[in-house]
Amino acid sequence: MKTIIEPFRIKSVEPLHFNTALERSQIIERAFYNPFLIHSEDVIIDLLTDSGTSAMSSKQWAGLMQGDESYACSPSFYHFENTVRRITGMEYIIPTHQGRAAENILFTLLGGKDKTVLSNTLFDTTRANIEFTGARGIDLPCPEGKIPSKPSAFKGNIDLDALQAHIKTIGPEKIPMVIMTVTNNSNGGQPVSMENIRNASLLCKQFQIPFFIDACRFAENCYFIKIREKAYATYSIEEIAREMFSYADGCTMSAKKDAFANIGGFLAMQNPDLAQKCRNLLVITEGFPTYGGLAGRDLEAIAIGLEEVLDEHYLQYRIRSIEYLAQKLMDQNIPIMQPAGGHAVYLDAKAFLPHIPVDQYPGQSLVCALYIEGGIRSVEIGSLMFGTYEVHSTSKVLIPAKLELVRLAIPRRVYTQSHIDYVAEVIIEVWNKRNTLTGYAITEEAPLLRHFTAKLKPI
Ligand SMILES: *Cc1c(COP(=O)(O)O)cnc(C)c1O
């Protein structure tokens, strides 16, 4: 049997809300051309993010009922702790309400002026938490990761030569951490190889720099390792995960990704002193160490989700469903990041809309067009998200991001194959009228993470 079927059947459904292109063009105008400001009832297919948008299983919903809401030392915490400990091999497991809360605690303790954090590519909240402490974050993606159109097996890798060179020029004492994002979300959801993780970890050991993993999509990354890295073909996903985490001193996780939960996260590590400091901060910012900003029922849902995500049938379907959409677009020569990532398809907006200059945000133009054409909500991952300014006395000039991408993130277990067929049709329609699309200007923005709240207008 060749067809890879959705490895679940549907027990509970939510209706989609339909609207017309004319209505959508008014809605997006009222939302200041920022998809984050569109009411979700006005969206037909929501590909804004795969974060917290997963469909939970019947087992997870049952787990919600069984969650124990005791303030301290609830059995739901131990279920959670044992599961995370088994998969990661980490000794100290600290629950947080989201991934960024884990990042905030970690970088409050390890960041600060004069410090530099190195990464394959930092996710936006990670970078913001690093910079908020006065530290710098530097991305060192591998060379093939910088060319969207060039397929390669592990484009999420860190550039090991650049890592070594940066450690030597900056000085290891000023580098509190190297953090590897798996899969590499901001660089196309591309996987990182076990070999690259092992070598980066060895380099860090040599210079006594803590090595952490941003583990939001660890299972998707492990599946790519299994199918693309020969030595791991016969390993189970859990075995691959355990080896991957064995190279790290700790990890941060958003349970809103590969744990199929609607909220939650954790921080895990091997160093007892650092763990104690983290817990001290946790108590004043998140909560008591056995719940850390979560309800007992959330801890149950996460523990169950972490078991479910290790299922190879699920991961095969997951990775294939992204590749399926990517293939439909490539068949029309639509420029996308190749190969398909683990959780999203990324349109290359610079190649899609070469007539729109980067300081007019071609990615945002594409995002708006996809919404008006078919009610699809996507997100720009380019100069709106990552651009900064060079400030002169009378003007400021945009320093653009390296890539102008539009991310179509696929929520886990939510949409069926016909939904995805529809998405492909809408993108192809926009592709056919791409020459009519125009650029955008920002009218209002916040100093950090501006893409969430920025207001724009068409030029
Ligand atoms: C989502 C995400 C985070 C932040 O997690 P939240 O739960 O949204 O706070 C950090 N890193 C990566 C790679 C992510 O995808």
Side-chain angles (χ1 to χ4, degrees):
M1 233 60 73
K2 278 219 221 98
T3 304
I4 297 166
I5 59 175
E6 283 92 353
F8 49 79
R9 52 185 185 172
I10 295 165
K11 176 176 272 183
S12 178
V13 298
E14 274 182 289
L16 295 179
H17 301 278
F18 293 92
N19 44 23
T20 65
L22 180 65
E23 286 166 337
R24 289 192 292 270
S25 57
Q26 292 159 352
I27 290 165
I28 195 143
E29 185 184 352
R30 283 201 300 273
F32 303 98
Y33 302 94
N34 183 341
F36 284 98
L37 306 179
I38 300 174
H39 293 199
S40 61
E41 302 97 311
D42 295 330
V43 174
I44 300 176
I45 304 277
D46 203 344
L47 307 184
L48 183 70
T49 177
D50 64 323
S51 178
T53 54
S54 300
M56 290 210 293
S57 64
S58 50
K59 225 173 165 177
Q60 283 180 295
W61 283 106
L64 292 190
M65 266 324 281
Q66 289 185 329
D68 180 304
E69 303 302 342
S70 306
Y71 189 93
C73 304
S74 143
S76 297
F77 170 71
Y78 295 108
H79 182 196
F80 164 85
E81 183 186 47
N82 285 334
T83 309
V84 177
R85 196 178 272 157
R86 199 191 80 227
I87 295 170
T88 65
M90 297 289 163
E91 187 57 32
Y92 304 99
I93 316 296
I94 299 169
T96 59
H97 81 278
Q98 283 197 218
R100 71 195 69 186
E103 293 165 354
N104 182 261
I105 289 171
L106 199 57
F107 295 115
T108 299
L109 291 167
L110 298 179
K113 280 202 179 57
D114 301 336
K115 300 278 173 65
T116 303
V117 176
L118 303 175
S119 176
N120 51 344
T121 311
L122 295 165
F123 182 64
D124 56 353
T125 61
T126 323
R127 172 174 292 281
N129 272 301
I130 291 166
E131 291 177 352
F132 191 67
T133 71
R136 283 194 296 176
I138 299 182
D139 295 339
L140 303 169
C142 64
E144 59 274 28
K146 296 175 195 163
I147 312 165
S149 60
K150 190 180 170 194
S152 179
F154 291 104
K155 289 174 76 166
N157 283 355
I158 196 165
D159 182 335
L160 291 164
D161 293 335
L163 177 61
Q164 181 156 17
H166 276 74
I167 292 172
K168 286 188 174 152
T169 44
I170 295 164
E173 68 289 350
K174 290 189 174 158
I175 303 173
M177 169 177 306
V178 169
I179 185 158
M180 192 78 110
T181 312
V182 306
T183 57
N184 193 336
N185 186 0
S186 303
N187 205 18
Q190 298 292 323
V192 181
S193 72
M194 190 75 90
E195 188 188 7
N196 192 252
I197 292 169
R198 191 187 304 122
N199 288 332
S201 160
L202 273 174
L203 203 57
C204 289
K205 276 213 177 68
Q206 197 185 321
F207 291 98
Q208 297 186 318
I209 299 170
F211 180 70
F212 270 61
I213 292 177
D214 178 340
C216 295
R217 297 179 183 78
F218 76 98
E220 289 169 5
N221 200 88
C222 289
Y223 184 73
F224 279 117
I225 289 175
K226 184 179 169 83
I227 59 174
R228 291 187 187 168
E229 206 166 345
K230 270 210 183 73
Y232 295 92
T234 60
Y235 282 47
S236 72
I237 299 299
E238 186 171 339
E239 285 166 337
I240 296 172
R242 287 188 62 93
E243 179 175 335
M244 182 175 88
F245 286 114
S246 76
Y247 298 121
D249 299 297
C251 66
T252 58
M253 170 85 186
S254 169
K256 301 172 73 173
K257 318 287 168 59
D258 264 355
F260 301 115
N262 301 126
I263 197 72
F266 59 81
L267 187 53
M269 63 195 70
Q270 303 287 22
N271 180 330
D273 299 330
L274 182 62
Q276 192 50 51
K277 287 182 189 149
C278 289
R279 284 184 174 140
N280 293 344
L281 255 186
L282 186 83
V283 174
I284 57 170
T285 57
E286 292 280 291
F288 187 74
T290 63
Y291 73 83
L294 293 171
R297 56 179 173 267
D298 300 326
L299 293 165
E300 282 294 339
I302 295 167
I304 297 165
L306 285 171
E307 299 283 357
E308 290 177 350
V309 81
L310 301 173
D311 175 25
E312 266 185 61
H313 282 289
Y314 161 72
L315 287 167
Q316 182 195 35
Y317 140 79
R318 170 74 176 158
I319 300 305
R320 174 60 195 151
S321 61
I322 314 291
E323 196 180 64
Y324 174 81
L325 174 58
Q327 192 57 51
K328 288 200 154 214
L329 303 179
M330 288 190 302
D331 289 347
Q332 304 292 323
N333 295 316
I334 295 174
I336 63 165
M337 181 129 189
Q338 293 188 49
H343 65 289
V345 169
Y346 294 71
L347 304 174
D348 180 352
K350 235 188 254 184
F352 201 114
L353 301 172
H355 60 287
I356 301 180
V358 289
D359 62 359
Q360 292 181 18
Y361 306 103
Q364 196 68 9
S365 176
L366 193 45
V367 165
C368 293
L370 293 173
Y371 177 70
I372 294 169
E373 186 66 35
I376 296 170
R377 177 153 68 171
S378 56
V379 67
E380 191 254 22
I381 305 221
S383 293
L384 180 61
M385 187 180 272
F386 291 122
T388 50
Y389 292 111
E390 199 178 273
V391 182
H392 302 285
S393 50
T394 54
S395 65
K396 52 184 188 175
V397 178
L398 179 81
I399 306 170
K402 288 195 191 91
L403 300 174
E404 303 294 334
L405 303 174
V406 168
R407 186 183 72 182
L408 302 150
I410 313 294
R412 294 169 183 77
R413 308 191 290 206
V414 170
Y415 292 116
T416 64
Q417 189 167 343
S418 67
H419 291 126
I420 298 298
D421 288 338
Y422 170 83
V423 170
E425 280 172 23
V426 172
I427 297 169
I428 293 166
E429 283 296 317
V430 172
W431 172 245
N432 290 338
K433 55 168 90 154
R434 60 190 180 280
N435 294 333
T436 64
L437 271 54
T438 58
Y440 283 80
I442 295 175
T443 59
E444 237 182 271
E445 62 185 299
L448 281 178
L449 297 177
R450 64 174 178 170
H451 56 284
F452 286 133
T453 52
K455 296 179 178 173
L456 297 102
K457 62 166 200 244
I459 294 173

